[in-house]
Amino acid sequence: MVVIQNIINDSNVDEDNLSKVCQEFLNENALEESELLIRLVSPVEIQVLNKEYRNKNQVTNVLSFQSDIPDEVEESILGDVVICVDVVREEALFGNKKFGDHLTHMAVHGILHLIGHDHEDITSANKMESIEIDFLGKLGISNPYL
């Protein structure tokens, strides 16, 4: 189950589509029973989170927080993906991308971090990008890395 928290009440976000696409991605990765929270936030909130959890006092586009629920709790909670809509909007404009497409990309990118992917080295980055490109292509979204 995917829950969207649009705490900034941005009416440009198609919450139903974002939820649907994220659920499709979970389904493709055998995580259909997992719970996922997508939280859409302001630059101030993401900067606070980035400083507190990553020791980086700056805004960023997306942060991922894996669930830390003990194994004995029989809930399948994947975690939270926190997205700064303003940063995503700016990146989309700068990169000549559609806002909705870039928002979808950031959500998928965040989910990949929750399931253990990273881009700390070239091999890991290439694998992560390949998964993103493949899934986004199925949605008709062109390669975001071009």
Side-chain angles (χ1 to χ4, degrees):
M1 175 177 74
V2 177
V3 175
I4 307 290
Q5 280 185 348
N6 185 355
I7 65 159
I8 55 173
N9 295 316
D10 191 313
S11 61
N12 294 311
V13 175
D14 184 341
E15 295 177 35
D16 291 336
N17 184 62
L18 185 60
S19 178
K20 179 179 146 265
V21 166
C22 290
Q23 187 63 55
E24 286 175 28
F25 190 72
L26 293 178
N27 295 351
E28 276 198 15
N29 287 278
L31 296 164
E32 56 274 347
E33 299 301 318
S34 295
E35 291 183 34
L36 169 69
L37 172 67
I38 303 287
R39 185 172 168 89
L40 307 174
V41 302
S42 70
V44 170
E45 182 171 343
I46 206 148
Q47 183 171 356
V48 167
L49 291 170
N50 204 17
K51 182 177 182 189
E52 183 174 340
Y53 291 97
R54 297 180 65 224
N55 204 28
K56 296 183 179 185
N57 190 18
Q58 62 192 40
V59 296
T60 189
N61 50 15
V62 62
L63 294 170
S64 298
F65 299 94
Q66 290 181 323
S67 172
D68 60 357
I69 293 182
D71 292 338
E72 53 272 3
V73 176
E74 294 187 18
E75 293 290 327
S76 181
I77 299 176
L78 193 56
D80 302 351
V81 174
V82 181
I83 301 173
C84 181
V85 174
D86 287 351
V87 171
V88 170
R89 185 176 289 108
E90 287 176 23
E91 289 174 346
L93 284 170
F94 183 75
N96 200 29
K97 301 173 183 177
K98 293 179 184 174
F99 167 70
D101 291 353
H102 191 49
L103 182 63
T104 297
H105 176 216
M106 290 300 95
V108 168
H109 185 90
I111 295 168
L112 283 170
H113 280 302
L114 291 178
I115 61 176
H117 291 275
D118 66 43
H119 38 79
E120 297 301 315
D121 60 66
I122 192 71
T123 302
S124 299
N126 286 340
K127 182 176 181 182
M128 191 169 176
E129 288 177 11
S130 176
I131 294 167
E132 292 168 342
I133 292 165
D134 181 54
F135 181 74
L136 295 172
K138 293 175 186 175
L139 302 174
I141 299 173
S142 59
N143 181 344
Y145 294 102
L146 293 179

